[in-house]
Amino acid sequence: MLKFHSVTAALAIATGTLAGQAHAQSTSPDTGTGTVAPATDAQPANGDRDSAPADIIVTAQKSGAQALQKVPLAIQAFSGEELKARNIRSVDDLVSAVPGALEGQRQSVASRSYNLRGAGGSNANGDSPIGYYLDDVPFVVTNFGIAPPVRFLDIDRVEVLRGPQGTLYGQGSSGGVFVFHTRDPNLTKIEFAGEAESSQTRGAGGLNYGVAAAISVPIIKDVLAIRVSGGHSYNPGWADEYYGAYDGTPDRKDVNVVRNDDIRVVALLKPADNVKIRAQYWHFRPRQQFLGGMASVDPPYYQNTAAQPSFGNGDFKLYSLSATVDFKSFSLTSATSDLKGNFGIYIPISPAGFFSSQFYPKMFSQELRLNSTTSGPFHWLLGAAYQDGQGPQANQLSIPPFVSINADNNTITRNWAVFGEVSYDLLDGKLVPLAGLRYYHDKRTFEDSTTRNSNTTGVTTWRANLSYLPNDNLTTFITAATGFRAGIVQSRIQADLLTQSGIPSGTQLKPERSRNYEIGIKWRSSDRTLTVGLNGYITKLRDLQTSTPTINTSVSGFSNFGDATTKGIDFELHWRTPLNGLSLGAVGNINDSKFDRVAAAVQAALPYLRPGTRIVNTIAHNWRIDASYNGKLSEALDGFFNIAWSHSGDRLQTSGLLANPYSLFSATAGVRKGPYELALVGDNLSDERGPTILGTTGPLSGSGPTPRTIGLRFRANFQ
């Protein structure tokens, strides 16, 4: 896809599931009816320090419910209630609580991409290096790796897996996986939850507001239920517009207005104790006037618009169907999805030009898998997956009177994979070796007005893991795993301009591959008041796919220009203090990512890229510290608060510029009486402006955090 300055356009897709029937009863726990234990070791709601929290239950290994403490992976889990208590409402908020995570690209609320441990996310182009799953289905974006525009309205929990997950999750997970689990309908009773909020952003022309609700109704008790959830939010702009150059007197104020609507309808059917069928419809409509990148973030403004419109909008519809059938010793799961959407960006170019990039993604996805459910000692999982997708793009650059370029194109993928994992419990389950393998086959076709070419790729990824669990409070593991990212497809214009700049490239790049070696430990005290997690890793990245500026032109292309090594440490600490109700937590990452090899032609054209220099769009460290309280204020009234400080280090961008480090402070404090809650919420209390992602038109150009925002949130929770 064409990229003008820091401009790219976006493509999105998603996923779903299929059904089945059988008899016999499952021996594995049912985690699909909203009964998963809260995904946090925080103080119990009643503030009683003597009440140890329940085990956190996750399904990241696709073989049924497991206690988080015993999962031999670098994994975090967040319950929906914890996310709300910490005022984490989107993927962008969530990354501050994930070691080694950062935002890699921000065009608009409809197009963002992320980075884990230095793997991918440096730009949206190409398949995502981070896997995103909505319930049991992948959110796959053909040749444009953005995250799903999920608002955390009706989320039951989020699971984050760091490092390559190439056996169970496939080609879109060389850097890690985010799994978003939504709430199921309740088969036995009516449930309702609703919330309303209003806030003021510094410099905005009015109040932000949002409303959201969810209702679950059993149609046939214990057999069929429906859940409907959705919401609307409006954020008035806080950045100004100048038709020409900045002169201190804006032509229009508060232009970057954001609206977000979504609705989710899910039906849950349990015709027998061992059969669960789930159908879901999800409609996202994120819309933004103007884009995330500005001419200046402080003061915030856009310039040289010539009074033309600018926007970044999206409209996605996802249909999915899933089914799980439990037999006596194994479980069968089918997951099917279909997504159609449109989204894109429009950028004015003074005095009368524009750049428009619109996307019309389609994706059908199917996965079928079997996994053992016996107590052991032998455990296995086998599966197969198929995807049929395309990403049509309509790209136009117009700069009258001499420039008019249409670069419409399409990327088509038809791929399939077979995969499996096996493990065996030794020493009564204290020592567990595991091995996994996946074979992926992809026929990928690129076509535009002048070019049509197809490439077929077959890739094998594997995982080997040895875990030691001497008791319920200690888990140690060592693992080696591989992953890959499908080759970026780009236009012939981009490939030719790179070649003219002395940088060999083609319309389709070689896949990017990763190999990760990791050692980890999870420990908690016997009373579960203190939990510690530590992971050390070394990741080898081969044939990195990176945005590559061309010489004497504003168009960037993409090339496989080197290999790299990433080394780092993740840490987590959670402590329920002796003061009833007060918990402290810290997570963080220290990361050293450097090029081992850079193509000679790239070094000649871009001398700041050479062996020994930092990988572009990586950070040397990040951390977040939280203090949370939940306890009784009176017989009828509970009080709570959360105070958080997050910090992200500086990073080198593909332009050779260095974005400064930044810190964000947030706080939530409120009271709760029965099902009702009122909270005061503050985001970016230090009013950090950035830029956190640099632009190319000045030292303050680019994108940064939303300015200081303070408001009230009211919730009613009858579920």
Side-chain angles (χ1 to χ4, degrees):
M1 173 184 59
L2 290 181
K3 181 175 180 181
F4 295 89
H5 297 288
S6 59
V7 175
T8 53
L11 166 327
I13 197 283
T15 54
T17 40
L18 206 245
Q21 284 186 354
H23 56 330
Q25 195 139 353
S26 170
T27 58
S28 62
D30 180 3
T31 63
T33 56
T35 57
V36 174
T40 175
D41 278 339
Q43 182 76 18
N46 62 4
D48 184 1
R49 179 179 164 81
D50 295 329
S51 300
D55 271 326
I56 303 165
I57 303 301
V58 297
T59 55
Q61 297 204 109
K62 294 190 176 184
S63 55
Q66 292 177 287
L68 177 65
Q69 173 66 25
K70 295 188 176 182
V71 177
L73 292 171
I75 177 175
Q76 287 172 282
F78 306 84
S79 72
E81 292 306 306
E82 179 189 3
L83 294 169
K84 290 174 181 176
R86 298 167 70 176
N87 203 34
I88 294 174
R89 294 170 292 182
S90 66
V91 183
D92 191 49
D93 296 331
L94 180 67
V95 296
S96 70
V98 177
L102 80 154
E103 183 181 45
Q105 174 269 159
R106 180 195 308 180
Q107 286 187 334
S108 69
V109 291
S111 175
R112 288 181 167 184
S113 62
Y114 298 91
N115 179 308
L116 274 171
R117 292 179 172 178
S122 61
N123 51 71
N125 293 75
D127 285 13
S128 176
I130 307 298
Y132 300 104
Y133 277 70
L134 300 179
D135 295 309
D136 204 27
V137 297
F139 183 94
V140 177
V141 179
T142 304
N143 204 43
F144 207 85
I146 62 172
V150 177
R151 290 194 304 159
F152 292 179
L153 162 68
D154 207 23
I155 293 291
D156 185 59
R157 72 186 185 280
V158 179
E159 300 173 20
V160 181
L161 293 72
R162 305 185 300 275
Q165 307 295 328
T167 54
L168 295 182
Y169 292 96
Q171 82 279 11
S173 56
S174 62
V177 174
F178 287 77
V179 186
F180 305 96
H181 294 279
T182 58
R183 283 184 175 270
D184 274 347
N186 192 307
L187 291 169
T188 61
K189 64 179 182 179
I190 295 176
E191 291 182 335
F192 172 79
E195 63 183 45
E197 60 182 328
S198 182
S199 61
Q200 177 71 54
T201 297
R202 184 177 180 184
L207 292 177
N208 310 309
Y209 68 84
V211 292
I215 185 168
S216 177
V217 179
I219 307 301
I220 303 174
K221 188 177 181 181
D222 298 324
V223 176
L224 174 65
I226 303 291
R227 187 178 185 93
V228 180
S229 62
H232 167 75
S233 63
Y234 172 82
N235 300 86
W238 39 268
D240 298 333
E241 177 188 4
Y242 292 84
Y243 297 161
Y246 173 81
D247 62 8
T249 305
D251 295 289
R252 286 204 304 152
K253 288 180 170 290
D254 311 322
V255 295
N256 57 332
V257 176
V258 171
R259 294 178 176 85
N260 206 340
D261 301 284
D262 64 276
I263 185 169
R264 185 177 73 98
V265 181
V266 58
L268 178 64
L269 175 66
K270 291 195 73 172
D273 288 343
N274 64 309
V275 179
K276 174 182 171 182
I277 302 171
R278 191 178 192 269
Q280 183 167 259
Y281 165 77
W282 209 337
H283 188 185
F284 306 96
R285 288 192 67 212
R287 290 154 290 160
Q288 180 171 335
Q289 294 180 26
F290 289 82
L291 300 179
M294 303 178 184
S296 168
V297 298
D298 192 15
Y301 64 81
Y302 305 88
Q303 66 180 0
N304 296 322
T305 67
Q308 297 185 83
S310 179
F311 61 83
N313 295 337
D315 192 328
F316 312 94
K317 294 179 181 179
L318 168 67
Y319 303 84
S320 66
L321 179 67
S322 65
T324 299
V325 186
D326 296 319
F327 296 86
K328 185 175 182 180
S329 58
F330 67 91
S331 181
L332 170 65
T333 298
S334 176
T336 310
S337 69
D338 186 66
L339 177 132
K340 293 180 175 65
N342 63 81
F343 70 104
I345 59 174
Y346 185 97
I347 300 172
I349 301 174
S350 182
F354 66 89
F355 172 64
S356 174
S357 189
Q358 305 300 316
F359 297 77
Y360 306 93
K362 301 176 183 178
M363 177 61 74
F364 171 82
S365 180
Q366 168 69 48
E367 181 172 294
L368 187 69
R369 63 180 185 271
L370 295 165
N371 65 274
S372 61
T373 55
T374 56
S375 58
F378 180 63
H379 307 278
W380 54 268
L381 181 149
L382 296 172
Y386 173 76
Q387 292 175 352
D388 184 349
Q390 54 181 296
Q393 303 177 23
N395 299 313
Q396 185 175 3
L397 174 66
S398 177
I399 307 177
F402 303 112
V403 178
S404 181
I405 300 174
N406 291 303
D408 299 351
N409 61 75
N410 191 12
T411 302
I412 302 166
T413 177
R414 290 183 176 88
N415 64 75
W416 55 267
V418 291
F419 58 93
E421 288 192 345
V422 295
S423 64
Y424 196 86
D425 298 341
L426 301 172
L427 306 178
D428 295 324
K430 291 182 173 61
L431 186 67
V432 183
L434 177 147
L437 196 68
R438 186 183 190 104
Y439 177 75
Y440 170 87
H441 182 274
D442 183 18
K443 181 179 180 181
R444 190 160 296 217
T445 301
F446 172 78
E447 57 185 19
D448 60 18
S449 60
T450 61
T451 305
R452 178 180 173 87
N453 60 59
S454 296
N455 288 280
T456 300
T457 302
V459 178
T460 300
T461 51
W462 53 265
R463 177 165 80 105
N465 184 286
L466 181 64
S467 55
Y468 177 57
L469 306 89
N471 54 59
D472 288 341
N473 298 318
L474 178 63
T475 297
T476 62
F477 64 90
I478 56 174
T479 187
T482 61
F484 82 100
R485 179 186 179 196
I488 290 175
V489 176
Q490 63 185 340
S491 70
R492 170 55 60 187
I493 294 173
Q494 290 168 290
D496 289 346
L497 287 171
L498 285 171
T499 301
Q500 292 170 19
S501 301
I503 301 171
S505 190
T507 56
Q508 184 164 345
L509 276 60
K510 291 188 296 184
E512 178 182 292
R513 301 171 188 259
S514 62
R515 179 175 295 185
N516 184 63
Y517 305 94
E518 187 157 352
I519 183 169
I521 182 170
K522 303 177 183 181
W523 174 85
R524 64 187 179 190
S525 60
S526 58
D527 61 0
R528 301 189 183 181
T529 59
L530 182 63
T531 303
V532 178
L534 194 64
N535 300 85
Y537 59 88
I538 299 175
T539 305
K540 297 286 187 178
L541 301 167
R542 181 182 173 189
D543 294 322
L544 280 166
Q545 304 178 73
T546 307
S547 176
T548 311
T550 59
I551 306 302
N552 299 322
T553 175
S554 58
V555 179
S556 290
F558 300 88
S559 62
N560 300 99
F561 68 58
D563 305 331
T565 299
T566 293
K567 303 175 183 178
I569 296 173
D570 297 333
F571 65 86
E572 299 181 60
L573 175 67
H574 302 279
W575 179 35
R576 291 198 297 137
T577 72
L579 179 62
N580 272 356
L582 179 64
S583 297
L584 302 178
V587 298
N589 167 269
I590 300 171
N591 185 78
D592 181 25
S593 300
K594 293 181 179 178
F595 286 109
D596 299 322
R597 176 186 65 84
V598 177
V602 175
Q603 287 189 62
L606 307 170
Y608 58 88
L609 298 176
R610 60 187 184 278
T613 60
R614 190 198 301 188
I615 302 177
V616 294
N617 286 294
T618 61
I619 54 176
H621 57 266
N622 80 320
W623 65 75
R624 174 170 169 144
I625 300 172
D626 282 85
S628 301
Y629 175 79
N630 195 333
K632 289 284 186 182
L633 298 180
S634 67
E635 193 64 32
L637 203 63
D638 294 329
F640 62 92
F641 72 74
N642 175 267
I643 301 171
W645 170 38
S646 62
H647 177 81
S648 181
D650 62 8
R651 61 175 169 176
L652 177 70
Q653 300 191 180
T654 51
S655 61
L657 300 174
L658 194 68
N660 291 328
Y662 63 95
S663 296
L664 298 175
F665 295 86
S666 64
T668 303
V671 292
R672 184 184 301 112
K673 183 176 182 180
Y676 302 104
E677 174 184 298
L678 182 65
L680 178 66
V681 176
D683 289 322
N684 190 11
L685 293 176
S686 61
D687 202 28
E688 170 68 60
R689 299 299 181 99
T692 57
I693 301 175
L694 294 173
T696 58
T697 57
L700 291 176
S701 68
S703 58
T706 299
R708 180 189 298 124
T709 302
I710 298 175
L712 286 173
R713 181 186 69 206
F714 173 76
R715 297 175 59 201
N717 188 4
F718 296 90
Q719 57 184 5

